Amino acid sequence: MLTFATPLQAGGGFLYWALVFFVLAIIAAAVGARGVAGISMEIARIFVLIFIILAVVALLL
Protein backbone atom coordinates (compact mmCIF):
# COMPACT_ATOMS: atom_id res chain seq x y z
CA MET A 1 0.00 0.00 0.00
CA LEU A 2 1.34 3.43 -0.93
CA THR A 3 1.13 6.32 1.50
CA PHE A 4 1.33 9.90 0.33
CA ALA A 5 2.86 12.71 2.36
CA THR A 6 0.82 15.86 2.62
CA PRO A 7 2.73 19.08 1.86
CA LEU A 8 3.10 21.90 4.37
CA GLN A 9 -0.09 23.93 3.97
CA ALA A 10 -0.13 26.06 7.10
CA GLY A 11 0.01 29.43 5.33
CA GLY A 12 -2.79 29.08 2.83
CA GLY A 13 -4.73 32.25 3.55
CA PHE A 14 -2.00 34.73 4.39
CA LEU A 15 -1.57 36.07 0.87
CA TYR A 16 -5.35 36.39 0.42
CA TRP A 17 -5.74 38.37 3.64
CA ALA A 18 -2.74 40.54 2.78
CA LEU A 19 -4.44 41.51 -0.46
CA VAL A 20 -7.73 42.18 1.37
CA PHE A 21 -6.03 44.53 3.84
CA PHE A 22 -4.07 46.20 1.03
CA VAL A 23 -7.27 46.98 -0.87
CA LEU A 24 -8.85 48.22 2.37
CA ALA A 25 -5.85 50.51 2.90
CA ILE A 26 -6.12 51.91 -0.64
CA ILE A 27 -9.85 52.60 -0.21
CA ALA A 28 -9.32 54.17 3.23
CA ALA A 29 -6.55 56.39 1.87
CA ALA A 30 -8.78 57.51 -1.01
CA VAL A 31 -11.57 58.43 1.42
CA GLY A 32 -9.17 60.26 3.71
CA ALA A 33 -9.03 57.94 6.72
CA ARG A 34 -5.26 57.98 7.11
CA GLY A 35 -5.24 56.12 10.43
CA VAL A 36 -7.23 53.18 9.09
CA ALA A 37 -5.08 53.13 5.95
CA GLY A 38 -1.88 52.98 7.97
CA ILE A 39 -3.09 50.19 10.22
CA SER A 40 -4.41 48.18 7.27
CA MET A 41 -1.13 48.58 5.41
CA GLU A 42 0.83 47.42 8.46
CA ILE A 43 -1.37 44.33 8.84
CA ALA A 44 -0.96 43.57 5.12
CA ARG A 45 2.81 43.90 5.45
CA ILE A 46 2.88 41.46 8.37
CA PHE A 47 0.78 38.92 6.45
CA VAL A 48 3.08 39.16 3.43
CA LEU A 49 6.14 38.61 5.63
CA ILE A 50 4.52 35.56 7.26
CA PHE A 51 3.61 34.22 3.81
CA ILE A 52 7.19 34.63 2.57
CA ILE A 53 8.65 32.95 5.65
CA LEU A 54 6.26 30.00 5.35
CA ALA A 55 6.94 29.71 1.61
CA VAL A 56 10.70 29.56 2.20
CA VAL A 57 10.27 26.98 4.95
CA ALA A 58 8.02 24.88 2.69
CA LEU A 59 10.58 25.03 -0.13
CA LEU A 60 13.40 23.97 2.17
CA LEU A 61 11.56 20.95 3.58
Side-chain angles (χ1 to χ4, degrees):
M1 182 189 323
L2 295 173
T3 58
F4 296 101
T6 57
L8 180 66
Q9 295 177 350
F14 284 109
L15 193 58
Y16 169 77
W17 283 109
L19 289 174
V20 168
F21 278 107
F22 178 71
V23 170
L24 179 65
I26 295 297
I27 293 171
V31 173
R34 294 178 59 180
V36 174
I39 292 171
S40 297
M41 211 49 193
E42 186 66 26
I43 292 171
R45 186 182 68 86
I46 290 170
F47 280 151
V48 167
L49 289 176
I50 291 172
F51 171 77
I52 290 172
I53 289 169
L54 290 176
V56 168
V57 168
L59 287 173
L60 293 177
L61 291 181

